[in-house]
Amino acid sequence: MPFTSLGLTEPLVRAVAARGYEAPTPIQVEAIPAILRGGDVWASAQTGSGKTAAFILPILQRLVETERPRGRFVRTLILVPTRELAAQIGESIRRYARYLTAPPKTLIVYGGVSINPQLIALGGGADILVATPGRLLDLLDHRALSLSELSTLVLDEADRLFEQGFSNELRRVLTLLPKKRQNLLFSATFPRQVQALATNLLHEPTRIDIASEPETKPDILQRVIEVDIPRRTQLLRHLIEENRWTGVLVFVATKYSTEHVADKLRAAGLHAAALHGDLSQGARTQALANFKAGTLQVLVATDLAARGLDIAGLPVVVNYDLPRSTDDYLHRIGRTGRAGEFGVAVSFVSAATHAHFRLIEKRHQLDLPREQVSGFEPVDLEPPDRPTGGIKGKRMSKKDKLRAAAKRDGES
Ligand code: AMP
């Protein structure tokens, strides 16, 4: 089936053709006509199914057909769990809108950056606002926008919105919306909270269920963040607060570091505890029980203590120190993304550990993008002259020394 038969206008069809898409994906075939008709949609679809275009294309078309009211009104609100997803959707909108004669005014807002430019940009309203819930509420508190004329609400990756602890924010936003509106709900999984939301939110929705391939691999988003060694604790704090991570397992290299990092986090007001082999069994059991129950937000552990940990629904693992052995990398990140749930694994790399991380990637055939977080950009670019020790692959192993000696012998 060609894109032209879905009811999309020529500039939008041209934009998808320019992207090189030959035919719509199954979710696009079902969602685009349903959204164009103005009804509610409830779609279960994974990232990678083409779901972004499935809602952006018909939204663009409907916006072009009607005029924006004057004032600080937002016409389409797309709520997403993370700033990365917000940025990604913003990029998709830009691409798909490129041939429209009057592209809708689109704004992307999320926390962790100054609110002032967002306040200014929202003057005069917006056709599309892509937002994370926390920042949206901040903006509403500043009276920067009004949702009273909203025509379409999109909740993208709704399951992750709940995982990130946004249920209160969501509830508040929903009370601010007009009764008559179109609701589009996208989610990879349908845990209880999402089902309850769908029942409350949606009115006679078109149900789209794109059968995904059975999940053989766990769904873990692997992120690599470049940061200088002395700034890791601050960055960790920043990430926890910004992403509202509710359960974070942090791996460090030594028992001392578990205590040190946990102390620092506690001093910053977070509920954190250390877990390592020298603690009494009672203390370990207690820390784990608290972590599993959710009363403890951050558990800072060594590999030894973490072996075999099975924490249902653990959302985030952080490699504060990289694992010495490349195999332990998979072992560590596998603590999250269990039982088909989504997980995030963040690894900090510094000048001294870049080479080691490349080794880990090579071993597992990974090629992960490096990220930097605003305010935490590394300034240490060169690896230190002296080996820091403790990093496998940096120092020559006995075998490598023998090999090198044999090579020298052979060459001489
Ligand atoms: P999404 O599921 O929205 O994250 O999209 C996953 C990827 O599929 C993105 O890189 C899109 O550019 C791409 N994509 C979306 N629609 C199509 C299509 N009809 N044909 C080929 N690729 C597509």
Side-chain angles (χ1 to χ4, degrees):
M1 175 187 280
F3 269 104
T4 41
S5 58
L6 297 179
L8 292 170
T9 53
E10 191 276 334
L12 295 171
V13 173
R14 188 150 35 117
V16 292
R19 295 283 299 142
Y21 305 165
E22 286 170 3
T25 63
I27 188 164
Q28 290 163 358
V29 169
E30 294 197 44
I32 291 174
I35 298 173
L36 285 175
R37 282 194 301 272
D40 283 4
V41 165
W42 174 357
S44 43
Q46 311 273 346
T47 297
S49 58
K51 69 181 166 63
T52 315
F55 65 82
I56 296 297
L57 291 167
I59 282 175
L60 287 172
Q61 180 152 329
R62 281 170 62 80
L63 283 171
V64 171
E65 286 164 358
T66 48
E67 230 171 84
R68 169 153 39 114
R70 291 168 78 85
R72 298 188 167 186
F73 298 112
V74 167
R75 300 165 76 195
T76 302
L77 174 63
I78 304 176
L79 273 181
V80 295
T82 63
R83 50 198 283 179
E84 291 77 17
L85 188 56
Q88 210 175 293
I89 291 177
E91 184 56 28
S92 295
I93 295 172
R94 206 179 54 75
R95 286 193 187 129
Y96 299 134
R98 63 194 279 204
Y99 297 116
L100 296 173
T101 31
K105 178 178 170 189
T106 303
L107 295 174
I108 317 298
V109 296
Y110 44 70
V113 295
S114 167
I115 197 168
N116 289 329
Q118 300 175 354
L119 290 171
I120 295 166
L122 271 165
D127 293 305
I128 306 179
L129 182 67
V130 186
T132 51
R135 179 51 60 97
L136 176 68
L137 286 181
D138 287 348
L139 288 163
L140 285 163
D141 288 341
H142 279 85
R143 300 189 185 285
L145 70 146
S146 166
L147 296 174
S148 64
E149 296 289 319
L150 194 88
S151 52
T152 303
L153 170 72
V154 182
L155 299 180
D156 192 18
E157 306 207 354
D159 46 358
R160 289 179 62 197
L161 277 167
F162 285 106
E163 277 165 27
Q164 310 259 354
F166 282 130
S167 52
N168 287 340
E169 283 85 348
L170 259 182
R171 208 170 305 133
R172 226 189 104 192
V173 171
L174 294 182
T175 62
L176 300 172
L177 306 181
K179 281 224 158 55
K180 196 168 149 359
R181 59 168 198 266
Q182 181 178 34
N183 301 293
L184 313 175
L185 179 75
F186 291 82
S187 199
T189 59
F190 283 86
R192 207 164 25 89
Q193 279 174 305
V194 179
Q195 288 193 20
L197 176 75
T199 315
N200 285 334
L201 190 72
L202 304 173
H203 178 67
E204 296 177 4
T206 302
R207 186 79 176 82
I208 302 173
D209 196 353
I210 300 301
S212 54
E213 294 295 309
E215 278 284 314
T216 44
K217 276 193 183 163
D219 189 9
I220 301 171
L221 173 69
Q222 299 177 60
R223 297 179 57 188
V224 187
I225 303 182
E226 297 177 326
V227 59
D228 288 334
I229 284 179
R231 305 215 55 208
R232 288 176 300 175
T233 310
Q234 270 174 300
L235 173 60
L236 176 60
R237 230 185 88 191
H238 171 81
L239 292 172
I240 291 172
E241 283 165 4
E242 182 179 278
N243 298 298
R244 294 159 193 253
W245 286 336
T246 45
V248 192
L249 179 59
V250 180
F251 284 105
V252 295
T254 64
K255 291 168 194 162
Y256 170 78
S257 298
T258 61
E259 302 280 359
H260 182 69
V261 174
D263 278 350
K264 282 263 176 73
L265 295 176
R266 269 198 303 270
L270 295 167
H271 290 289
L275 185 72
H276 57 77
D278 278 1
L279 292 173
S280 71
Q281 190 56 47
R284 284 168 63 171
T285 312
Q286 188 61 50
L288 258 181
N290 291 346
F291 191 55
K292 286 186 179 178
T295 50
L296 185 65
Q297 189 181 6
V298 191
L299 193 62
V300 190
T302 56
D303 279 308
L304 188 74
R307 197 131 307 186
L309 271 188
D310 190 337
I311 300 158
L314 175 66
V316 186
V317 167
V318 174
N319 287 316
Y320 183 101
D321 289 313
L322 294 179
R324 281 168 58 87
S325 107
T326 54
D327 283 347
D328 274 347
Y329 177 76
L330 286 195
H331 186 75
R332 282 182 179 187
I333 71 169
R335 302 299 103 207
T336 181
R338 294 174 89 76
E341 289 188 356
F342 176 77
V344 179
V346 177
S347 297
F348 290 167
V349 294
S350 63
T353 60
H354 267 298
H356 184 55
F357 197 78
R358 275 199 295 274
L359 218 95
I360 292 176
E361 289 185 304
K362 203 167 155 212
R363 170 79 174 77
H364 301 300
Q365 293 170 349
L366 295 168
D367 186 14
L368 303 170
R370 304 300 193 255
E371 297 174 41
Q372 294 190 353
V373 174
S374 166
F376 295 89
E377 293 87 351
V379 287
D380 260 353
L381 295 174
E382 293 299 318
D385 294 336
R386 279 178 295 114
T388 46
I391 300 168
K392 207 175 175 182
K394 276 250 156 213
R395 261 198 228 148
M396 264 192 175
S397 67
K398 231 184 206 167
K399 250 192 215 157
D400 286 342
K401 278 183 193 159
L402 286 173
R403 268 196 215 111
K407 192 160 176 259
R408 270 200 310 276
D409 290 344
E411 280 165 1
S412 60

